[in-house]
Amino acid sequence: MSTPSTSSAISAAASVGAVTPQTARFDVPLPLRCGRELDGFELVYETYGTLNAERSNAVLICHALNASHHVAGHYADEPGNTGWWENMIGPGKPVDTRRFFVIGVNNIGGCHGSTGPLSINPQSGRAWGGDFPLVTVEDWVDAQQHLANHLGITRFAAVMGGSLGAMQALAWATRYPERLRHSVIIACTPSLSAQNIAFNEVARQAIITDPDFNDGNYREKGTAPKRGLRVARMVGHITYLSDDEMAHKFGRQLKNGRVGYTFDTEFQIESYLRHQGNKFADYFDANTYLRITRALDYFDPALEHGGNLAAALKPVQAGVLVVSFSTDWRFSPERSHEIVHALLKNRARVSYAEIDAPHGHDAFLLDDPRYHGLIGAYFERIHAEVAP
Amino acid sequence: MSTPSTSSAISAAASVGAVTPQTARFDVPLPLRCGRELDGFELVYETYGTLNAERSNAVLICHALNASHHVAGHYADEPGNTGWWENMIGPGKPVDTRRFFVIGVNNIGGCHGSTGPLSINPQSGRAWGGDFPLVTVEDWVDAQQHLANHLGITRFAAVMGGSLGAMQALAWATRYPERLRHSVIIACTPSLSAQNIAFNEVARQAIITDPDFNDGNYREKGTAPKRGLRVARMVGHITYLSDDEMAHKFGRQLKNGRVGYTFDTEFQIESYLRHQGNKFADYFDANTYLRITRALDYFDPALEHGGNLAAALKPVQAGVLVVSFSTDWRFSPERSHEIVHALLKNRARVSYAEIDAPHGHDAFLLDDPRYHGLIGAYFERIHAEVAP
């Protein structure tokens, strides 16, 4: 086993470079938890690195709320459009693409190319819009499993994600236990709390009550519920940052140095939130946002086992790494402990780390040396297992 | 000094009964912090108990975000409409109206009868609407001072409030130090954090971007930004409850016993939030909501003293009681400590209690025996000071 990359080595590491998304079409029915079924579906994905001859070095990256299949690298015609986990995945990075074949995939119900509300409903010949079914974490994992088959991957070296992505990594370990060696679960919770659901509900109500929502069929009407999506994103952003990080980044700083007694932007934090809201409302689809927040709400593997999480996680065969962040008040370390305790109860192989990071939930996306050092070291171990 | 009321005595205590709001008209200009001025103004208020001959037993209650002058008792024609602090104020209650003359007042900019956006602008002859000036905690206190003069009260036995009401009690102690014996500051902060401002900004943006807002002149247009006000109230409610209290009250309980895969109400917490939002949007004025959240944002007595809170509180002569609640994540106990430390630095008379209550910020409105016992005991001391 070689020495784990040091933090400075990681910072200096290169990118996977220019990448090209691909589309896989699956002409098989996909039954969904809601009782409906897709006759077939497409998944957009990207890959980085090379699948080895043994097909043992594949790592699936599952995305969270607003992300996509574009995990690392950039597009040749859009050099500034880098992947959302560029600091984590690449040559010499914690998930080292010189060793691992890494796959990013956009989930069904999404708005980045996979079958979703923007796609054509083959039965009507028109875009699905508000008629697209509600999807769940388990549906996503089932769809991803078809992609694994398509790529000839019987067993992933690891399935990995943060936040909602981590829920998928956990669902993989229970639904397809023999198909992954490791599950890497970062900033996760075994189920949303009432407060988590409450924030999602505020976001949804902002969208649904926007007069431009039109029951989800806004594209047909030539409208878009941008006002609602903007407010939804603003409220989301508050929950991604810790109180301290917000205080550190913005505090009570005034935009123009003095109070103007107006409802325009007075404080820097307002400027930041409005900017985030506007940006998001311009590129994200409201029907997707509604579905993704509902998928979060519904995720609750223990529910079918009378609330017994250990029973729900009984099928897990993978080695599991659980990582939480001290200041994450959205999915607090205590919620990660529930996952760890359930796995320990089952005598599963589980490692746990709580990273003392100031950034709140968003920490899982940031370049913290201890966090990246830990993930790098864990993938060193995986490499040692899977290297021929 | 008599024995402090016990908790059971308090529960069994009577109400002040039927009350009648009164209106005081002040034909004096009221300069506002924003640089504008009201030519005159009206304050709606209620009183409970009897002012003693020495005029030494008056207690002013300042209200928080959505409350009003209706602090205790009920209206003869509306027996169900009890005051918002009915559990705190009345005969035999912690603020005992057999001993104290208690005053509740609606603030300017409000929507419960005092001069505000719903009032007629004498210069235009039409309702102020969106043209009503932005008001501050200091402006409210200045207006209340005119009411004190009107009632012949030179010195209050106490000025008291929770949350935004507590900010007024604090501002009284610095602006009119000789006019109150005690300042009772409950669930307060010396200034909003970036996160606090962020939540207010989400609420405001929901209102302002509602197409029915019409720049605040919605009444003229026969509309009301109810969708925005509803979302604003929903997000507010999340911050009033602790995560644990929400978990305890609602958890992941489903409204219909099972998941329906819909955006309708699935979880009990959604039902609660929608109900609160709808109720609020029906009775509260959006222009007032905007102004009150801005008053919260602006409150920062230390600002004019280079961030030195002790310097800002230097004028305080009153005895101060500061009370915080352990699970209040909106205005956490740490923020109350800042007030206490600043007062201690000034060698002011300050008492502090952190109540270990599960309810979050809303705890200041609830009937917790330790909390009420503490307030009752403090008012016993005040009574001993002011009784002839």
Side-chain angles (χ1 to χ4, degrees):
Chain A
M1 205 169 123
S2 64
T3 318
S5 310
T6 63
S7 160
S8 60
I10 290 171
S11 323
S15 167
V16 298
V19 297
T20 309
Q22 302 172 64
T23 301
R25 164 95 212 153
F26 301 95
D27 286 314
V28 291
L30 185 72
L32 304 171
R33 281 219 153 186
C34 65
R36 294 169 68 186
E37 178 171 283
L38 293 176
D39 293 339
F41 61 100
E42 290 184 349
L43 290 178
V44 177
Y45 66 100
E46 291 179 9
T47 68
Y48 324 108
T50 309
L51 187 61
N52 63 16
E54 297 75 16
R55 298 176 176 271
S56 65
N57 68 336
V59 174
L60 178 67
I61 306 292
C62 304
H63 71 75
L65 215 153
N66 65 311
S68 72
H69 54 281
H70 187 35
V71 179
H74 63 268
Y75 297 137
D77 56 349
E78 281 182 278
N81 184 355
T82 46
W84 57 270
W85 225 348
E86 174 77 354
N87 61 24
M88 181 67 86
I89 289 140
K93 290 182 179 172
V95 182
D96 192 337
T97 49
R98 297 171 307 192
R99 292 169 166 179
F100 293 102
F101 176 66
V102 180
I103 303 153
V105 58
N106 183 220
N107 284 321
I108 54 167
C111 55
H112 290 101
S114 293
T115 298
L118 303 179
S119 311
I120 299 298
N121 174 355
Q123 281 165 12
S124 69
R126 296 202 316 271
W128 281 98
D131 298 328
F132 195 82
L134 269 71
V135 284
T136 64
V137 168
E138 291 80 5
D139 297 333
W140 289 335
V141 166
D142 290 352
Q144 290 161 8
Q145 177 254 155
H146 286 280
L147 181 64
N149 297 344
H150 171 75
L151 296 172
I153 296 158
T154 310
R155 193 178 187 200
F156 286 108
V159 178
M160 173 177 180
S163 190
L164 178 56
M167 292 175 177
Q168 295 162 58
L170 185 59
W172 260 99
T174 57
R175 286 180 91 72
Y176 301 101
E178 71 295 340
R179 297 200 66 171
L180 66 166
R181 281 179 181 273
H182 291 272
S183 173
V184 179
I185 293 170
I186 305 169
C188 193
T189 177
S191 67
L192 263 58
S193 69
Q195 190 188 71
N196 294 148
I197 297 172
F199 280 119
N200 281 346
E201 173 67 359
V202 169
R204 280 191 296 267
Q205 287 298 306
I207 292 168
I208 287 172
T209 63
D210 184 326
D212 286 334
F213 180 63
N214 288 312
D215 253 346
N217 299 313
Y218 41 86
R219 294 219 166 202
E220 262 180 50
K221 311 259 182 187
T223 63
K226 287 198 178 190
R227 288 174 292 245
L229 203 50
R230 184 171 171 269
V231 167
R233 184 60 168 174
M234 288 173 75
V235 75
H237 256 280
I238 300 178
T239 70
Y240 306 150
L241 295 181
S242 70
D243 190 15
D244 281 354
E245 178 67 2
M246 233 186 223
H248 173 71
K249 271 175 105 161
F250 305 105
R252 295 182 51 84
Q253 284 171 59
L254 293 163
K255 189 146 182 277
N256 302 314
R258 54 183 287 282
V259 160
Y261 297 101
T262 147
F263 299 119
D264 293 342
T265 309
E266 293 259 37
F267 295 92
Q268 290 290 6
I269 179 66
E270 296 174 323
S271 176
Y272 170 79
L273 286 179
R274 290 188 193 187
H275 173 72
Q276 294 293 342
N278 290 337
K279 207 171 65 173
F280 190 69
D282 276 342
Y283 84 83
F284 210 81
D285 180 61
N287 281 318
T288 289
Y289 198 81
L290 292 176
R291 279 156 184 75
I292 293 184
T293 57
R294 256 312 185 217
L296 276 160
D297 291 355
Y298 290 146
F299 184 70
D300 186 8
L303 184 64
E304 288 166 28
H305 299 268
N308 184 337
L309 186 61
L313 302 188
K314 205 83 194 171
V316 174
Q317 296 174 20
V320 182
L321 173 63
V322 177
V323 181
S324 72
F325 299 94
S326 53
T327 57
D328 184 352
W329 62 278
R330 183 175 160 88
F331 299 160
S332 71
E334 288 70 29
R335 302 308 309 273
S336 280
H337 297 173
E338 294 178 33
I339 299 171
V340 172
H341 289 315
L343 290 167
L344 287 174
K345 205 167 172 186
N346 294 343
R347 299 176 179 275
R349 289 172 296 140
V350 55
S351 307
Y352 174 65
E354 179 180 327
I355 307 287
D356 183 17
H359 314 96
H361 190 61
D362 259 1
F364 87 86
L365 293 168
L366 302 178
D367 185 359
D368 178 283
R370 285 166 303 178
Y371 165 45
H372 277 196
L374 172 80
I375 300 290
Y378 196 82
F379 274 88
E380 287 285 340
R381 274 173 46 189
I382 300 179
H383 174 66
E385 285 178 33
V386 302
Chain B
M1 206 168 123
S2 63
T3 318
S5 311
T6 64
S7 160
S8 58
I10 290 170
S11 325
S15 167
V16 298
V19 296
T20 310
Q22 302 172 64
T23 302
R25 164 95 211 153
F26 301 95
D27 286 315
V28 291
L30 185 73
L32 304 171
R33 281 217 153 187
C34 64
R36 293 169 70 185
E37 178 171 284
L38 293 176
D39 293 339
F41 60 100
E42 290 185 349
L43 290 178
V44 176
Y45 66 99
E46 291 178 9
T47 69
Y48 324 107
T50 309
L51 187 61
N52 62 15
E54 296 75 16
R55 298 176 175 272
S56 64
N57 68 334
V59 175
L60 178 66
I61 306 292
C62 304
H63 72 74
L65 214 153
N66 64 312
S68 72
H69 53 282
H70 187 35
V71 179
H74 63 268
Y75 297 137
D77 56 348
E78 282 182 276
N81 184 356
T82 46
W84 58 268
W85 224 348
E86 174 77 353
N87 61 24
M88 181 67 85
I89 288 141
K93 290 183 178 171
V95 181
D96 191 336
T97 50
R98 297 171 309 193
R99 291 171 166 178
F100 293 101
F101 176 65
V102 180
I103 304 153
V105 58
N106 183 220
N107 284 320
I108 54 167
C111 56
H112 290 100
S114 293
T115 297
L118 302 180
S119 311
I120 299 299
N121 174 355
Q123 281 166 10
S124 69
R126 296 201 317 269
W128 281 99
D131 298 328
F132 195 81
L134 268 72
V135 284
T136 64
V137 168
E138 291 80 6
D139 298 333
W140 290 334
V141 167
D142 291 351
Q144 289 161 9
Q145 178 253 157
H146 287 280
L147 181 64
N149 297 344
H150 172 75
L151 297 172
I153 297 158
T154 311
R155 194 177 187 200
F156 285 108
V159 178
M160 174 177 178
S163 191
L164 178 56
M167 292 175 177
Q168 295 162 59
L170 186 58
W172 261 99
T174 57
R175 285 178 91 72
Y176 302 101
E178 71 295 341
R179 298 199 66 172
L180 66 166
R181 279 180 182 274
H182 291 273
S183 173
V184 180
I185 293 171
I186 306 168
C188 193
T189 177
S191 66
L192 263 59
S193 69
Q195 190 187 70
N196 294 148
I197 297 172
F199 280 118
N200 281 347
E201 174 66 1
V202 168
R204 280 190 297 266
Q205 288 298 307
I207 292 169
I208 288 172
T209 63
D210 184 325
D212 285 335
F213 179 65
N214 289 311
D215 252 346
N217 300 312
Y218 40 87
R219 293 218 166 202
E220 263 181 48
K221 312 259 182 188
T223 62
K226 288 199 179 191
R227 289 173 292 243
L229 202 50
R230 183 171 172 269
V231 167
R233 184 61 168 175
M234 288 172 75
V235 74
H237 256 280
I238 300 178
T239 70
Y240 306 149
L241 296 181
S242 70
D243 190 17
D244 281 355
E245 178 68 3
M246 231 184 224
H248 173 71
K249 271 175 106 162
F250 306 105
R252 294 182 52 83
Q253 283 171 60
L254 293 163
K255 188 145 183 276
N256 302 315
R258 55 182 288 281
V259 160
Y261 296 100
T262 147
F263 298 119
D264 293 341
T265 308
E266 293 259 37
F267 295 91
Q268 289 290 7
I269 179 65
E270 297 175 321
S271 176
Y272 170 79
L273 286 179
R274 290 188 192 188
H275 173 72
Q276 294 294 341
N278 291 338
K279 207 171 65 171
F280 190 70
D282 276 342
Y283 84 83
F284 209 82
D285 179 61
N287 282 318
T288 289
Y289 198 81
L290 292 176
R291 279 157 183 75
I292 292 183
T293 58
R294 257 310 186 217
L296 277 159
D297 291 355
Y298 289 147
F299 185 70
D300 185 8
L303 185 64
E304 288 167 27
H305 299 269
N308 184 338
L309 186 61
L313 302 188
K314 206 81 194 173
V316 174
Q317 296 173 22
V320 182
L321 173 63
V322 177
V323 181
S324 71
F325 299 94
S326 53
T327 57
D328 183 352
W329 62 279
R330 182 176 161 86
F331 299 159
S332 70
E334 288 69 30
R335 302 308 310 272
S336 282
H337 297 174
E338 295 177 32
I339 299 171
V340 172
H341 289 315
L343 290 168
L344 288 174
K345 206 167 171 185
N346 294 342
R347 300 176 177 277
R349 289 172 297 142
V350 55
S351 307
Y352 174 65
E354 179 179 328
I355 307 286
D356 183 17
H359 315 97
H361 189 62
D362 260 1
F364 87 87
L365 292 167
L366 303 178
D367 185 359
D368 178 283
R370 284 167 303 177
Y371 165 45
H372 276 196
L374 172 80
I375 300 290
Y378 196 82
F379 274 87
E380 287 284 342
R381 272 173 47 189
I382 300 179
H383 175 65
E385 283 177 35
V386 302

